[in-house]
Amino acid sequence: MTISSLSRAVAAEFAPQTIYLNTSTCGLLPRRAVDAVKTLVDENASGLRDGSGDFGAVHRAREGFARLVGVGAGRVAVGGSVAAHVGLIASSLPPGAEVLAPEGEFSSVVSPFAVRGDLKMRYVPLQDLADAVRLGTALVAFSSVQSADGRRADLDAVRAAAADKGARTLLDATQSAGWLPLDAGAYDYTVTGGFKYLLCPRGTSFLTVTEEAQEGLTPVYAGMAAAEDRWNSTYGPVTELASDARRYDEPPAFLAYHGAEHSLALIHEIGIDTLHAHATGLADRFRSGLADLGHTAVPADTAVVAVPGLGDRAPELQRAGVLVAGRAGNLRASFHLYNTEADVDRALDVLAG
């Protein structure tokens, strides 16, 4: 898609009332997703629907995500949060297993392991993650892009080190899926919250599991949604779980997934390459402007820009109509398809003023 086509798509789908540079917190919903959610709300309120939602919409969202990350839909489980998906993986590890993670990793990626109390947690600086994988490491759990400061993990190096030492990999793609190409099949597990760069309603989360990793993963959320034949599995224990990764499904939040199928369709229409070029180009412009103002951003080749020591200026920017975030002492701005060069320049003007 060309830049002019991107602009037309954005104009048709978004009408932000602020300069919104905060997708790393929550993405804006496209109009088509809002319409789908409102339709389901009205149907649920009026009694026009038999049931609270459509499993077909859930399946179309599953297929949309699968195509986005390069795996078959049978490798994707759906749920409500990254923490729940990570908790599923944490429950499968034997006592004493070592989990390696970056220091300062997002809490949903590490807490489900830490709260067990019988796993060995080891944390190292992000840049040392690949070198820290050792024989006996059971799992490397990390984000492709760090939430606090936008740093990007060395994905190739971590995968190679894990393969060499016999460790499994868990990648959280929440801060990158939607603007950074992802080959989910290269990891034992990936988890992705859909409510940021995938522009889905909160309550959508995707888990991918390799066929090999499925062998040791217990479907602890087993219910009718995870059954091979849902509607003949509504009473008593489920006798036959789905034969693929759908066996790990949580009962879906239908309102979220009715919107998600349309949000993911929009991402496909625009294309990840176009989104990558657009978002990272704006981030680079912001970093350059910050340097001109005497502020040094955390070095990163991502759509997320963090400036140490400026986190307390987020409220000032918000009062000026520019929505950013303060995270771990950083001022964090994050860019996506609905942002423009004028947005970047306005944020810089406020910081200069």
Side-chain angles (χ1 to χ4, degrees):
M1 179 178 283
T2 64
I3 296 299
S4 59
S5 298
L6 173 62
S7 297
R8 288 194 296 271
V10 169
E13 296 287 351
F14 300 97
Q17 298 181 28
T18 63
I19 294 174
Y20 191 81
L21 308 180
N22 201 24
T23 300
S24 279
T25 298
C26 182
L28 299 182
L29 295 177
R31 183 170 286 112
R32 63 179 75 181
V34 172
D35 290 344
V37 172
K38 286 181 176 178
T39 296
L40 182 57
V41 168
D42 290 341
E43 291 174 350
N44 285 340
S46 61
L48 295 176
R49 171 177 287 277
D50 179 15
S52 58
D54 180 11
F55 277 107
V58 179
H59 181 64
R60 289 187 290 275
R62 188 195 316 270
E63 287 186 322
F65 179 77
R67 287 192 293 117
L68 197 67
V69 301
V71 299
R75 290 270 300 280
V76 179
V78 302
S81 71
V82 163
H85 280 148
V86 176
L88 175 69
I89 297 164
S91 72
S92 72
L93 294 179
E98 179 180 279
V99 178
L100 176 66
E103 295 173 349
E105 181 57 80
F106 194 75
S107 61
S108 295
V109 181
V110 293
S111 295
F113 301 106
V115 297
R116 271 194 46 173
D118 61 352
L119 301 176
K120 182 175 182 180
M121 300 299 298
R122 190 159 60 95
Y123 303 96
V124 298
L126 179 65
Q127 65 271 20
D128 298 334
L129 189 62
D131 290 338
V133 183
R134 63 191 181 188
L135 292 174
T137 300
L139 181 74
V140 186
F142 66 112
S143 295
S144 50
V145 172
Q146 289 292 299
S147 171
D149 56 21
R151 287 179 300 155
R152 186 167 162 181
D154 189 339
L155 302 179
D156 292 341
V158 174
R159 285 199 311 270
D164 182 59
K165 297 298 191 297
R168 284 191 166 154
T169 49
L170 164 59
L171 181 77
D172 180 1
T174 301
Q175 292 290 354
S176 62
W179 64 267
L180 183 67
L182 170 64
D183 174 14
Y187 305 88
D188 295 282
Y189 314 100
T190 71
V191 290
T192 305
F195 67 99
K196 299 182 188 287
Y197 292 89
L198 294 179
L199 310 177
C200 300
R202 182 144 194 170
T204 55
S205 183
F206 302 95
L207 165 70
T208 70
V209 191
T210 63
E211 292 181 1
E212 181 183 4
Q214 289 181 36
E215 296 174 3
L217 192 61
T218 302
V220 296
Y221 304 128
M224 65 165 290
E228 185 68 29
D229 181 356
R230 293 190 189 96
W231 298 112
N232 286 314
S233 302
T234 52
Y235 304 106
V238 174
T239 58
E240 184 181 3
L241 292 168
S243 58
D244 56 18
R246 190 168 64 76
R247 65 174 50 211
Y248 306 113
D249 277 10
E250 298 175 63
F254 282 120
L255 287 170
Y257 278 92
H258 273 239
E261 68 161 309
H262 298 285
S263 297
L264 292 166
L266 175 62
I267 297 290
H268 279 290
E269 289 168 18
I270 296 173
I272 292 296
D273 290 343
T274 298
L275 291 170
H276 179 271
H278 179 72
T280 57
L282 293 176
D284 287 345
R285 183 183 183 93
F286 190 51
R287 289 188 188 93
S288 178
L290 288 166
D292 290 342
L293 296 176
H295 303 302
T296 302
V298 174
D301 179 22
T302 69
V304 185
V305 180
V307 192
L310 290 189
D312 59 355
R313 297 194 65 180
E316 172 191 347
L317 283 153
Q318 184 169 358
R319 288 192 296 272
V322 181
L323 199 60
V324 295
R327 292 293 185 272
N330 301 313
L331 178 75
R332 188 186 70 186
S334 41
F335 300 90
H336 205 13
L337 74 168
Y338 32 66
N339 297 127
T340 66
E341 292 184 350
D343 293 344
V344 174
D345 295 344
R346 174 56 181 158
L348 291 169
D349 286 345
V350 176
L351 289 171

